[in-house]
Amino acid sequence: MSANPVAVPVKKLANGAEIPMIGLGTWPMDDTEAGAAVLHAIDAGYRLIDTAENYRNEEGVGQAIARSPLARSELFVTTKLNAEWHSFEGVRTAWRHSIERLGLDYIDLLLIHWPNPAQGTYVDAYKGLAKLLAKGKVRAIGTSNFTRSQLTELMDATGVVPDVNQIQHSPLWMRADDIAFHQEHGIFTQAWSPLGRGAVLDAEPVTTAAAAHGVTPAQVVLRWNLQHGASPIPKSTDPERQASNLDVFSFELDAGQMAAIDALDGTGPAPADPMAFGH
Ligand code: A2P
């Protein structure tokens, strides 16, 4: 184990589980890359590992978890199910397949990966998730890429608050209205592609803040996500980047630095459209 792994703060979710404030994203790693990256990440102090059926790396993630010296209870494993399983019974099947690929006997957080509104069956899928939660097969449930009105539909249909909604969030794609809605309802916001796929790391407001704090541009951007209420899950296969990406709890961006980075919003490529895109 690393001599000095970073201790990551945790947050209590709506349905009671505790989630680390930063996790490792694993897209687009294959099984082999994910196996190595997850072992390095655990060594650096990561306790939250984020995978998905669609990433096709759950087996690699699971093998790393099996090899890690940590007890299963010390790790928080998120996976996500595809549109194929958007029915009450289908979600149970998706859960079983993920459990088998991961080699685990429970999942910490199971998400509906994309709403796929044209298919129109995400409410049925969410009812299936609520059942898995009630039976203790998962410790938390939620969604990825859901809009505010879709989240309202889920809560109205079941009375169960999603623990998490993941959104594409970075200085290039700010989502203040969604984060405010999540906070109002007790939904934890996770940011996917929090580094803007790396595209934002050379931007002047980011490099200026990094120099001022003696940290890397990626640390600035991850800290910026946290200060906006979005918990990042950056992907990196590089052990040094992984370790520094976790080390963002000992400095704070001031209001001027935050505002300068906010001004990058909308300057990059368009984000994915959750009403049209998804699997
Ligand atoms: P790598 O895996 O080689 O480190 P996002 O999570 O926003 O999608 O961004 C992921 C991209 O950012 C990957 O290409 C990853 O590459 C890169 N990345 C992750 N951490 C850092 C870092 N600390 N510095 C520079 N690039 C990084």
Side-chain angles (χ1 to χ4, degrees):
M1 291 287 284
S2 161
N4 215 355
V6 173
V8 178
V10 297
K11 169 96 175 153
K12 191 159 187 146
L13 297 172
N15 296 305
E18 286 189 340
I19 191 166
M21 293 295 292
I22 291 196
L24 180 76
T26 64
W27 185 86
M29 299 178 195
D30 64 19
D31 279 318
T32 307
E33 286 173 321
V38 168
L39 271 177
H40 286 304
I42 290 173
D43 190 46
Y46 285 80
R47 296 295 176 263
L48 163 53
I49 310 297
D50 183 282
T51 179
E53 171 187 10
N54 208 61
Y55 301 169
R56 299 177 187 274
N57 63 17
E58 287 172 308
E59 287 184 14
V61 168
Q63 283 162 14
I65 289 170
R67 287 171 57 196
S68 121
L70 296 185
R72 169 70 183 92
S73 59
E74 293 186 73
L75 294 170
F76 189 105
V77 181
T78 302
T79 194
K80 317 182 191 80
L81 56 89
N82 283 349
E84 177 185 357
W85 312 109
H86 284 199
S87 67
F88 186 75
E89 292 302 332
V91 164
R92 169 80 191 203
T93 306
W95 172 87
R96 186 164 45 76
H97 290 170
S98 282
I99 281 287
E100 287 169 5
R101 287 188 294 260
L102 287 161
L104 302 177
D105 55 11
Y106 69 92
I107 291 164
D108 292 276
L109 174 62
L110 184 56
L111 304 178
I112 303 172
H113 203 152
W114 290 89
N116 289 282
Q119 185 175 307
T121 45
Y122 54 78
V123 172
D124 295 333
Y126 191 69
K127 288 178 179 169
L129 282 183
K131 177 81 183 286
L132 288 179
L133 180 69
K135 294 187 76 176
K137 305 291 185 191
V138 296
R139 298 180 62 238
I141 59 173
T143 53
S144 186
N145 306 298
F146 273 51
T147 64
R148 300 191 288 282
S149 66
Q150 289 164 346
L151 291 168
T152 301
E153 269 183 82
L154 301 183
M155 292 188 282
D156 287 350
T158 61
V160 180
V161 175
D163 288 288
V164 170
N165 188 35
Q166 286 192 1
I167 55 174
Q168 187 177 16
H169 184 265
S170 83
L172 301 178
W173 311 303
M174 289 188 67
R175 304 278 295 277
D177 290 349
D178 291 308
I179 294 173
F181 177 87
H182 295 166
Q183 287 175 345
E184 185 187 329
H185 293 276
I187 301 168
F188 185 72
T189 306
Q190 282 184 318
W192 66 264
S193 276
L195 301 172
R197 298 246 146 82
V200 81
L201 299 179
D202 294 331
E204 190 274 330
V206 172
T207 55
T208 301
H213 290 280
V215 298
T216 68
Q219 286 173 304
V220 165
V221 174
L222 296 170
R223 181 74 209 178
W224 174 92
N225 275 278
L226 284 168
Q227 288 183 217
H228 273 305
S231 173
I233 40 172
K235 171 261 175 186
S236 182
T237 48
D238 180 276
E240 275 182 28
R241 287 177 175 178
Q242 286 182 351
S244 67
N245 288 354
L246 206 56
D247 189 10
V248 294
F249 298 99
S250 56
F251 69 99
E252 185 160 353
L253 301 172
D254 66 27
Q257 290 163 338
M258 290 294 286
I261 298 170
D262 288 357
L264 297 170
D265 187 24
T267 61
D273 176 5
M275 299 301 281
F277 180 77
H279 30 71

